Amino acid sequence: MGSESVAQSDFLEFGDTEASLMEIGSGNYGCSHYRRRCKIRAPCCNEIFDCRHCHNDAKNGLETNPLDRHDIPRHEVTKVICSLCDTEQDVKQNCINCGVCLGKYYCSKCKFFDDDVLKNQYHCDECGICRTGGKENFFHCNKCGCCYSMLMKDAHRCVERAMHHNCPVCFEFLFDTMRDITVLPCGHTIHLECLKEMEQHYRYSCPVCSKSICDMTTLWKKLDQEIAATPMPETYQNKMVWILCNDCGANSHVQFHVVAHKCSRCNSYNTRQTRGGPAASCSSGMTGIISVSSMSPGG
């Protein structure tokens, strides 16, 4: 019985030590991007940074010579430096010197560490990077080339390599951004905060394809009333123009009006004049009405 008690005591002590190494310094080290207990040596320039974002921010700033600007090849990182004992070593989850855990979440494929496991990080083999939110809550769309919420599995419109481009508003690369992304009804992607900023300026069309980003029925009714209350001068009453609808793609031959032009197929006012009449853009006219009326779309 004595030997069994000693063995059990040793096991508990080992367990306590392991738990202690997992927690020592947790949350006290890192940068504005991640909480972690190590730094990385960039294989491209052999300099030390807190994380790849810190490297990219420093190496792509305006003060950096354009010829020297570059991003870190994240998967080529081979060396990390423990933040507690400053030991440089090969990439692994625990320090070879002091034994401390360098990150509660660790991905050997991405060479990625993070102590904030509340993000529910997971590695997507198809994307080739780690993402947040829990693997069970996302699926990888092979055509779009990225992970989407399970809620969109049978409801999203596929756009090839949908996130492999810059945000159309702020021009940050979307695929590995740390900011929230949303998918528009047309399938194009954009930062959520950029979309909200667009809405604050009464911009309700996709910056990429110009399709409406939400239900505009209420605004179209408002424009019906505006046009009915704004008769055109006699000179323009029989003037016809060709328009292209940004929402359904139809071409229509409609009566010219200074306020906006309505699509004959889908009744959308999200149109542009293509031929005939003054050179003013109907889309610009519609934007002006939106700004003046300060209306929000939808019911």
Side-chain angles (χ1 to χ4, degrees):
M1 288 293 293
S3 61
E4 290 180 2
S5 298
V6 171
Q8 185 176 13
S9 175
D10 290 342
F11 176 77
L12 291 174
E13 184 177 350
F14 173 77
D16 290 343
T17 301
E18 189 175 26
S20 177
L21 292 174
M22 181 70 75
E23 295 298 333
I24 292 176
S26 177
N28 298 327
Y29 297 88
C31 58
S32 60
H33 306 104
Y34 303 110
R35 296 284 89 191
R36 64 204 322 184
R37 285 162 280 178
C38 68
K39 298 181 180 181
I40 60 174
R41 182 175 292 281
C44 45
C45 51
N46 202 36
E47 296 180 35
I48 297 173
F49 295 90
D50 285 309
C51 75
R52 68 179 183 88
H53 293 290
C54 291
H55 169 279
N56 294 344
D57 289 346
K59 294 301 180 179
N60 291 291
L62 294 177
E63 67 281 359
T64 304
N65 187 324
L67 297 177
D68 295 329
R69 294 174 187 173
H70 64 279
D71 288 343
I72 189 172
R74 68 165 82 184
H75 297 96
E76 296 177 18
V77 173
T78 59
K79 297 294 183 179
V80 295
I81 299 90
C82 176
S83 297
L84 279 76
C85 70
D86 292 325
T87 301
E88 184 164 350
Q89 57 206 280
D90 292 338
V91 177
K92 55 180 60 179
Q93 188 168 18
N94 289 83
C95 176
I96 60 173
N97 181 45
C98 65
V100 72
C101 176
L102 303 180
K104 293 180 180 178
Y105 174 82
Y106 167 65
C107 176
S108 59
K109 296 179 180 179
C110 292
K111 316 298 192 299
F112 176 63
F113 303 81
D114 197 351
D115 273 331
D116 184 6
V117 291
L118 294 178
K119 297 176 184 175
N120 292 323
Q121 300 93 330
Y122 69 96
H123 180 85
C124 174
D125 287 325
E126 289 84 0
C127 286
I129 61 174
C130 290
R131 297 200 177 279
T132 60
K135 189 170 185 177
E136 69 280 2
N137 298 319
F138 292 85
F139 74 98
H140 183 88
C141 177
N142 290 322
K143 183 172 182 179
C144 295
C146 52
C147 290
Y148 286 148
S149 168
M150 290 295 292
L151 299 174
M152 297 176 58
K153 190 166 187 178
D154 299 314
H156 79 287
R157 178 177 294 182
C158 285
V159 172
E160 192 168 354
R161 295 174 64 82
M163 285 203 294
H164 294 258
H165 62 83
N166 297 336
C167 172
V169 175
C170 70
F171 303 111
E172 180 187 354
F173 191 58
L174 289 173
F175 184 70
D176 55 2
T177 181
M178 293 185 66
R179 297 152 63 193
D180 290 336
I181 297 173
T182 188
V183 184
L184 302 178
C186 56
H188 292 119
T189 50
I190 186 175
H191 283 126
L192 182 59
E193 61 187 81
C194 291
L195 176 62
K196 291 179 178 178
E197 186 176 350
M198 282 176 51
E199 292 173 341
Q200 290 172 1
H201 291 85
Y202 311 111
R203 301 291 177 176
Y204 301 120
S205 60
C206 172
V208 178
C209 67
S210 298
K211 292 183 182 296
S212 298
I213 62 176
C214 53
D215 182 6
M216 303 290 284
T217 304
T218 301
L219 182 56
W220 298 162
K221 291 179 179 178
K222 180 70 174 178
L223 285 172
D224 282 338
Q225 297 170 7
E226 187 76 20
I227 290 172
T230 312
M232 291 295 293
E234 185 175 350
T235 307
Y236 292 102
Q237 284 184 1
N238 296 318
K239 182 67 177 177
M240 303 295 289
V241 293
W242 283 95
I243 61 171
L244 172 66
C245 179
N246 293 321
D247 286 335
C248 73
N251 286 286
S252 303
H253 197 215
V254 301
Q255 187 172 354
F256 172 77
H257 201 284
V258 70
V259 173
H261 296 133
K262 186 175 186 175
C263 174
S264 300
R265 178 193 286 178
C266 69
N267 297 323
S268 168
Y269 278 103
N270 182 13
T271 61
R272 65 183 69 184
Q273 184 177 318
T274 57
R275 283 182 288 158
S281 166
C282 296
S283 295
S284 299
M286 185 190 74
T287 302
I289 292 298
I290 293 174
S291 300
V292 171
S293 61
S294 299
M295 289 188 58
S296 296

